[in-house]
Amino acid sequence: MPELPEVETSVQAIQEFANQSLESIEIYNPNLRWKVDTAAFKKLHGFKVSKIDRRAKYILLHIEQSQILIHLGMTGTLRIADKKSNFYKKHDHIELIFQNGRLIFNDPRRFGSMHYVTEPSTHFLLEKLGPEPLSKEFNGEYLFHKIKKSLSPVKNALMNQQNVVGIGNIYSNEILFDAKIRPTRKSKTLTKKECEEIAASSKKILKHAINAGGTTLQDFYKPDGNKGYFKIDLAVYDRANKKCKKCKKELIKRIIQSQRATFYCRKCQA
Ligand SMILES: [Zn+2]
């Protein structure tokens, strides 16, 4: 599943459509996680995209006073196609046709979504989201107060989008390894100092991944249509029974937490 770095990479990769007119939106298959409102999108035909950005893992194309809100779900990808190209793939759901190119939303497993939005801050998908991990608002002090009464494991707390957005299974493992905190620790046992470590590691790991262009464990295609797999070096994720990269002695342990794989070093992470 794309996490924040992958979504940020997608946003950067489609910037060429900012300031272009959206000629039309073709919906070939509206059956995504939520059925796409074909009629609503017709209102946007002929208008210019003023800005493309993201909130959490949602991509926002701003058009006049409205937004197109896209979530990539588990397997959703955006790819950029030439205006004249006739190349389509299985599971192409939606096509945004611009002045100088086309943007195609493909999603084999259909957990992605596309909404027509007029009030992003109160939209049901966005209203309860926590702060951005790279913002100043997300810091040790904030995290400490947010989770100090929580009985859930710290890994779950990091993946809870109401605490902080954009962190999924891969990066929560990486962040906690970097912060030397064991993923199974009850959130309420963390000290303020440890919360500061986690906040600092979150920023460090995510920035590094954004710079590297996102990980690509699944079928993550660069939106320009190339199989631009960039794989950052993961320090702990998916390294079960391999030597820890920090202590170089202990073997990485793999356990299951809330049906998701967790990896950690018994020596380095307390
Ligand atoms: Zn270790």
Side-chain angles (χ1 to χ4, degrees), residues 177 244-248 250 252 265-268:
F177 181 72
C244 169
K245 289 189 178 179
K246 268 197 185 123
C247 64
K248 315 232 190 292
E250 193 74 21
I252 296 298
C265 173
R266 279 171 290 195
K267 195 159 181 259
C268 298

Side-chain angles (χ1 to χ4, degrees), residues 49-260:
V49 174
S50 57
K51 190 169 75 172
I52 302 172
D53 59 8
R54 71 162 179 85
R55 170 74 176 109
K57 293 194 282 180
Y58 296 92
I59 298 168
L60 289 152
L61 280 78
H62 300 262
I63 300 172
E64 298 282 309
Q65 304 305 315
S66 319
Q67 287 81 25
I68 299 175
L69 180 70
I70 298 171
H71 193 271
L72 300 173
M74 301 277 289
T75 53
T77 54
L78 290 170
R79 77 171 190 277
I80 295 170
D82 193 69
K83 199 78 187 269
K84 289 181 194 135
S85 156
N86 262 325
F87 175 70
Y88 290 95
K89 289 184 190 173
K90 202 174 173 184
H91 309 297
D92 281 346
H93 281 259
I94 299 164
E95 183 175 7
L96 279 67
I97 302 170
F98 293 88
Q99 258 170 301
N100 297 318
R102 299 175 302 142
L103 190 59
I104 299 170
F105 183 52
N106 181 288
D107 192 358
R109 291 186 63 190
R110 303 180 188 176
F111 286 107
S113 63
M114 192 167 110
H115 284 91
Y116 171 82
V117 174
T118 50
E119 282 292 336
S121 60
T122 55
H123 190 267
F124 78 101
L125 290 171
L126 304 181
E127 66 178 346
K128 291 192 178 127
L129 294 175
E132 292 286 332
L134 299 177
S135 70
K136 279 189 184 140
E137 201 188 338
F138 180 69
N139 55 44
E141 180 87 20
Y142 162 84
L143 186 64
F144 179 71
H145 288 288
K146 192 79 187 173
I147 66 174
K148 69 180 178 189
K149 288 178 183 156
S150 169
L151 294 169
S152 53
V154 59
K155 184 181 169 225
N156 295 33
L158 261 189
M159 288 172 65
N160 180 341
Q161 304 297 300
Q162 294 188 20
N163 294 335
V164 58
V165 299
I167 299 174
N169 199 45
I170 296 171
Y171 292 107
S172 57
N173 275 293
E174 294 294 304
I175 289 164
L176 292 170
F177 181 72
D178 189 71
K180 302 193 181 88
I181 308 283
R182 199 172 284 207
T184 51
R185 280 272 297 280
K186 274 202 182 91
S187 299
K188 63 182 254 182
T189 68
L190 295 176
T191 63
K192 196 180 279 185
K193 177 87 172 54
E194 287 174 322
C195 288
E196 279 162 9
E197 297 287 345
I198 292 172
S201 292
S202 301
K203 292 171 200 287
K204 178 179 131 189
I205 298 286
L206 293 171
K207 273 184 198 158
H208 176 73
I210 289 168
N211 288 338
T215 45
T216 54
L217 297 181
Q218 304 248 330
D219 286 349
F220 178 69
Y221 285 67
K222 253 178 97 177
D224 63 10
N226 298 323
K227 270 197 185 177
Y229 285 154
F230 19 11
K231 195 160 184 175
I232 65 157
D233 270 340
L234 295 171
V236 71
Y237 183 84
D238 212 14
R239 298 196 69 250
N241 297 315
K242 291 187 176 141
K243 258 188 197 153
C244 169
K245 289 189 178 179
K246 268 197 185 123
C247 64
K248 315 232 190 292
K249 279 186 188 137
E250 193 74 21
L251 301 181
I252 296 298
K253 181 146 173 80
R254 179 186 190 273
I255 58 165
I256 298 291
Q257 283 182 290
S258 308
Q259 287 108 51
R260 310 296 299 273

